[in-house]
Amino acid sequence: MAGALALAVLLAVASLHAEAVWLDVPQSGTKCVSEEIQSNVVVLTDYSIMYESHPYSHPTIAVKVTSPYGNTLHHSENSTVGQFAFTTAEAGNYVACFWVDSAEKGSGVSVNLDWKIGIATKDWDAIAKKEKIEGVELELRKLEVAVQAIHQNLIYLKERQVVYSTSL
Amino acid sequence: MARWRPAALLVVALTAVLSAARRADALSVTVTDTECIHEFVPYEGDTVSGNFVVVDHDIFWSSDHPGIDLTVTSPGGNTVHTLKGKSGDKFEFKAPKGGMYKFCFHNPYGAPETVSFYIHVGHIPNEHNLAKDEHLDPINVKIAELKEVLESVTAEQKYLKAREARHRHTNESTRKRVMFYTMAEYIAFVAASTLQVLYIRRMFSKNVGYNRV
């Protein structure tokens, strides 16, 4: 029964092409992930509980996202599935924390976290439909956007290098 | 019109296959003992690549940084990749089978360390995956290969970013140490000077009885 359910969940994940990592949140305590993000960058994140580890119970989690200056960007409780999106106002370390808030006992919870930043947040299906491009043209457009993002990253790293060397 | 339908279907199928290539951004987790990240690899033979950097740690000054261990476990429980005692490295391997792979960072020291990691699962279509199609469109294969090359450039940039953050932390730590030692040195100088002044004044202020005849 549990094996079949796990197989079904895995097949569903495979069919959805989930671009996500899977975190283990302990029963007590908090699990946090963070990333240094520049300003004016779009962040889009989906999270959901992987039920294969709890086939007969329904735990819920709480989520809190904070900015480098301590502002709370997202806060939800008693969630099994959720999504948050924001545009970064300041550059720094953005932290997303998860913890179990249901009263059920047992082992920890596995959370599927799909954390997308910048060009990864683009909805290519909508773009393809709106501009009526498909196939090779759509793929080339994706490559063009990826190259532009790499170029912007190089400029950013070069600027950091200048600031870095002058501050010594 | 009907002549283009098989090619269009082939392009759609290849696009669906190409969409299996995904990118995870460089997230950071705090590792106290062992921290595991799971990543789904859809196809056997996909190239799994990535990097990790220890950005910051709470180990006290006198201790050296022992590094961190990375172990990659396949869905069947076998260890497919291992790195020992690294403060940052890249890894790349071919997935022996599809499924949920486990990337475990082990911190042998026990003091919390912040690890920035990036994992990418790349897929390039080949004859094995598209055996049903009578011929493979070379343009789509070249596009997929170009996509993987761009993805490796992006991964390299994320690696450089994480290393820059680590260097920034190192320089900040060095600056704090230099400031601390400098202040301690100043305090030592002031204390020595003050003690010298007090000692000399006490020496000259002593009353010595002179015996007069």
Side-chain angles (χ1 to χ4, degrees), chain A residues 116-145:
Chain A
K116 290 178 285 194
I117 292 176
I119 62 170
T121 61
K122 278 184 175 297
D123 188 0
W124 286 108
D125 294 336
I127 293 175
K129 187 179 299 181
K130 191 176 92 171
E131 303 187 14
K132 294 187 173 59
I133 53 177
E134 61 175 355
V136 174
E137 189 179 356
L138 180 62
E139 294 302 319
L140 290 178
R141 182 71 65 86
K142 289 182 184 178
L143 294 181
E144 183 188 358
V145 172

Side-chain angles (χ1 to χ4, degrees), chain B residues 118-154:
Chain B
Y118 175 74
I119 303 167
H120 169 67
V121 181
H123 179 77
I124 295 180
N126 48 33
E127 291 82 4
H128 180 265
N129 300 123
L130 303 170
K132 295 183 177 179
D133 299 284
E134 50 187 14
H135 54 79
L136 200 60
D137 196 344
I139 292 181
N140 287 277
V141 175
K142 288 299 178 183
I143 287 179
E145 290 175 358
L146 186 58
K147 195 171 189 176
E148 286 307 306
V149 171
L150 291 182
E151 190 57 45
S152 66
V153 175
T154 303

Side-chain angles (χ1 to χ4, degrees), chain A:
Chain A
M1 181 56 190
L5 185 58
L7 182 60
V9 172
L10 281 180
L11 288 177
V13 169
S15 64
L16 288 175
H17 295 298
E19 309 174 3
V21 295
W22 176 0
L23 301 172
D24 292 325
V25 180
Q27 178 63 36
S28 62
T30 305
K31 175 62 63 66
C32 298
V33 295
S34 62
E35 176 161 7
E36 293 232 359
I37 313 176
Q38 309 164 43
S39 58
N40 292 322
V41 174
V42 179
V43 179
L44 178 64
T45 303
D46 296 282
Y47 58 91
S48 61
I49 291 182
M50 304 293 288
Y51 275 116
E52 68 180 73
S53 53
H54 290 273
Y56 298 109
S57 63
H58 297 285
T60 58
I61 55 172
V63 185
K64 187 175 183 181
V65 185
T66 52
S67 71
Y69 292 158
N71 304 316
T72 299
L73 302 176
H74 176 77
H75 182 72
S76 70
E77 300 194 1
N78 295 320
S79 308
T80 56
V81 178
Q83 185 189 70
F84 56 85
F86 56 90
T87 301
T88 58
E90 65 264 8
N93 208 36
Y94 287 78
V95 185
C97 294
F98 302 84
W99 65 95
V100 178
D101 63 352
S102 60
E104 298 180 7
K105 299 179 180 178
S107 63
V109 175
S110 297
V111 176
N112 192 59
L113 180 68
D114 186 9
W115 175 274
K116 290 178 285 194
I117 292 176
I119 62 170
T121 61
K122 278 184 175 297
D123 188 0
W124 286 108
D125 294 336
I127 293 175
K129 187 179 299 181
K130 191 176 92 171
E131 303 187 14
K132 294 187 173 59
I133 53 177
E134 61 175 355
V136 174
E137 189 179 356
L138 180 62
E139 294 302 319
L140 290 178
R141 182 71 65 86
K142 289 182 184 178
L143 294 181
E144 183 188 358
V145 172
V147 171
Q148 287 174 358
I150 290 172
H151 182 57
Q152 292 299 319
N153 259 326
L154 280 177
I155 293 176
Y156 169 77
L157 287 174
K158 192 168 72 170
E159 288 173 354
R160 297 282 290 187
Q161 181 71 24
V162 171
V163 172
Y164 196 46
S165 54
T166 55
S167 68
L168 285 177

